[in-house]
Amino acid sequence: MNRSDSQIMESLLKKAGWTRVDRPEEADVLILNTCNVKKPTEQRMLHRAKVLSEYGPLIAAGCMAKSQPELLRPYSKVLMAPRSIDSIVEAAFLALEGKEGEFLEWKRLDKASYDRDPANLIGIVPIAEGCLGSCTYCITKLARGGLTSFPKESIIDRIWDFLNRGVVEIWLTAEDTGVYGWDIGTDLPDLLDGITSLKGEFRIRVGMMTPNSALRIADRLLDSFESPKLYKFFHLPVQSGSNRILRLMGRDYTVEEFISLVKRIREWYEDSTISTDIIVGFPGETEDDFHRTLKLLEEIEPDVVNLSRFGPRPKTKAASLPQLPASVIKRRSKVAMELIEEIKERRNERFLGRDLVVLASEITPKGTQGRTPSYKPVALGQVEPGYFYEVIIEGFKGNYLLGRVVRRLGRAGLNFNVQVEECPSR
Ligand code: SF4
């Protein structure tokens, strides 16, 4: 979401005549788009703000500017909240003139509608901002607020524009994609059906959805996911294997409901990638609660687990609860990580020797990276990105499968040689 916000700001500035430079010493104005979801990120942001402010006037944008402006004011006279990024040009001129300004309003911007250059083969398309949750540990809510879904037409137009610019993979993003449309009389399956009816050989990754919102739309969601254009990738952050802790976290589902959702997805498509998030050491988490989390991981064998050690975020309810000792959190995190690594290996082994169609969508420092139909990353070596390849999986390393390319199958996305066409949704 933040990367998409940065692209929108860059595009607005470019239209107003500003140019992006590569090094801070060349800049008239510096912009830091902050994230403060966890304490270590917050510290990194403050360090960056300090360093960048030494090169010239700094605009501090992003979630931290909204939820912790007091930390950024020593380094920046101009602050800008995520829901006010349409003011970036005004902010840039204020900063240039050495003046003060705070753009911290709650606006209902349609962020899908902003024209911008995706810059590579992947296009990030925000579909909504904010959420309907009230998780007691979450500082993001204080920055992004309640749900604002963007119009379906804007989203489809943006995707069509990206496809015409050579994009082959779309990332649909929101704080909770599962609640898309509930405020504007539509929902995620309806949006996905509209997107997958666009012509072209492209792929879509749907971003994180809370288990409770996914449960509410599960039947129609799985129908929509029948489209080969959708990666069979489900990011469902469960956070804990203990119902007691889920209640303390303000999460609106039970462990049993989460398990039934995952089982249903795997029964529908066995290779689906299940990605989840776990927080260990939430205030009040007992050894028994923690073991329930380990048991849950054993039972559902997620392909990807984003593990976090709990750290209180300021201005949240969980920050006022009695905290666990750091040594306990560290030990639990280590134990959980060992199990996660074991599970990852088991899941990856299932792919050995298989013959898969992989979309090469990214260039990394180590070569081209592709994605299987269930969004598993595959290292492809030095092949041209933007194409589908037939690949034999010969190994795995960390999170990656290692693929041997058998043959190139065809160009992904729209045909580059055709003229830019009108979007068929209009
Ligand atoms: S769903 Fe919960 S964790 Fe996610 S952004 Fe909303 S309040 Fe935060």
Side-chain angles (χ1 to χ4, degrees):
M1 182 64 100
N2 255 22
R3 275 167 68 184
S4 165
D5 281 354
S6 294
Q7 289 174 0
I8 291 170
M9 288 192 274
E10 186 175 344
S11 164
L12 290 171
L13 285 166
K14 210 167 155 188
K15 280 188 191 133
W18 291 74
T19 315
R20 180 189 176 129
V21 292
D22 291 329
R23 295 180 318 152
E25 46 272 52
E26 295 168 30
D28 297 312
V29 171
L30 298 107
I31 305 171
L32 179 65
N33 194 11
T34 58
C35 170
N36 60 346
V37 66
K38 296 182 200 173
K39 181 83 179 168
T41 327
E42 175 192 305
Q43 281 164 344
R44 214 168 60 238
M45 292 295 135
L46 286 176
H47 177 69
R48 287 297 286 161
K50 184 172 182 290
V51 170
L52 289 177
S53 66
E54 283 159 15
Y55 289 97
L58 174 71
I59 300 174
C63 291
M64 197 171 176
K66 178 69 182 171
S67 54
Q68 296 175 293
E70 64 284 358
L71 297 186
L72 290 165
R73 283 191 187 110
Y75 310 110
S76 170
K77 286 186 183 172
V78 183
L79 300 180
M80 196 166 61
R83 282 178 177 258
S84 292
I85 56 170
D86 60 324
S87 302
I88 188 64
V89 175
E90 193 186 338
F93 280 110
L94 276 183
L96 188 65
E97 290 162 13
K99 293 185 180 156
E100 289 183 11
E102 297 206 345
F103 301 87
L104 303 176
E105 284 169 70
W106 294 109
K107 292 188 201 165
R108 292 177 68 88
L109 303 177
D110 171 5
K111 290 190 175 176
S113 69
Y114 287 91
D115 177 38
R116 67 205 136 95
D117 184 1
N120 57 35
L121 293 169
I122 297 172
I124 307 172
V125 180
I127 63 170
E129 180 159 33
C131 71
L132 295 175
S134 45
C135 306
T136 56
Y137 53 83
C138 177
I139 194 168
T140 304
K141 177 88 184 188
L142 307 182
R144 300 270 178 183
L147 179 66
T148 301
S149 300
F150 309 140
K152 185 179 162 188
E153 296 72 29
S154 299
I155 295 165
I156 292 184
D157 279 358
R158 184 61 40 228
I159 291 172
W160 186 247
D161 176 63
F162 279 178
L163 293 172
N164 274 287
R165 293 175 189 237
V167 159
V168 299
E169 186 173 298
I170 302 284
W171 292 356
L172 300 181
T173 180
E175 273 68 60
D176 179 2
T177 59
V179 292
Y180 171 78
W182 294 8
D183 53 334
I184 56 169
T186 181
D187 63 10
L188 183 65
D190 184 48
L191 175 68
L192 295 178
D193 293 346
I195 297 171
T196 53
S197 66
L198 289 174
K199 72 172 189 180
E201 275 305 320
F202 60 96
R203 294 291 175 265
I204 303 154
R205 187 197 73 176
V206 179
M208 178 163 66
M209 52 184 98
T210 52
N212 47 312
S213 64
L215 277 158
R216 273 183 65 170
I217 51 171
D219 290 337
R220 292 181 45 246
L221 191 67
L222 293 185
D223 284 347
S224 301
F225 266 77
E226 290 286 344
S227 166
K229 287 177 181 162
L230 281 159
Y231 284 126
K232 308 314 180 240
F233 170 83
F234 299 85
H235 183 182
L236 304 162
V238 65
Q239 308 298 13
S240 172
S242 156
N243 285 330
R244 197 180 66 83
I245 295 297
L246 288 180
R247 275 195 299 279
L248 286 174
M249 287 177 166
R251 304 288 283 179
D252 198 13
Y253 51 86
T254 63
V255 175
E256 294 71 28
E257 284 171 334
F258 174 74
I259 293 172
S260 76
L261 177 64
V262 171
K263 284 192 174 157
R264 214 165 136 196
I265 293 170
R266 288 242 175 91
E267 272 161 23
W268 166 79
Y269 186 73
E270 205 198 337
D271 279 348
S272 293
T273 292
I274 302 292
S275 170
T276 197
D277 300 0
I278 295 285
I279 299 172
V280 289
F282 189 83
E285 184 189 72
T286 61
E287 279 300 314
D288 178 59
D289 294 319
F290 173 60
H291 280 102
R292 284 173 193 267
T293 298
L294 297 180
K295 192 169 156 267
L296 173 69
L297 291 173
E298 275 288 8
E299 182 164 358
I300 60 162
E301 296 199 317
D303 301 81
V304 182
V305 182
N306 307 302
L307 180 72
S308 301
R309 293 179 193 178
F310 178 80
R313 304 306 294 125
K315 306 172 193 177
T316 63
K317 269 192 203 162
S320 61
L321 299 172
Q323 306 293 309
L324 294 187
S327 57
V328 171
I329 300 178
K330 195 173 167 191
R331 176 178 52 76
R332 288 182 189 168
S333 160
K334 194 166 167 275
V335 172
M337 192 41 99
E338 279 164 15
L339 176 60
I340 290 164
E341 288 301 320
E342 262 176 59
I343 293 172
K344 196 177 2 178
E345 211 162 302
R346 266 182 253 158
R347 291 290 297 168
N348 283 341
E349 267 168 10
R350 301 167 54 253
F351 286 92
L352 289 180
R354 285 173 64 178
D355 187 338
L356 297 170
V357 174
V358 171
L359 170 60
S361 55
E362 258 179 288
I363 300 178
T364 72
K366 290 186 179 161
T368 305
Q369 179 186 290
R371 296 283 177 171
T372 68
S374 56
Y375 199 63
K376 278 266 183 201
V378 187
L380 296 173
Q382 304 300 328
V383 298
E384 194 178 346
Y387 287 82
F388 289 100
Y389 292 89
E390 183 184 344
V391 170
I392 308 276
I393 305 302
E394 296 194 324
F396 56 85
K397 195 175 172 191
N399 292 323
Y400 290 80
L401 301 177
L402 304 173
R404 177 170 57 82
V405 172
V406 179
R407 62 191 169 115
R408 193 161 95 175
L409 298 170
R411 187 76 175 86
L414 295 180
N415 185 340
F416 274 168
N417 299 323
V418 297
Q419 297 239 311
V420 174
E421 297 177 33
E422 274 306 303
C423 175
S425 78
R426 306 316 301 273

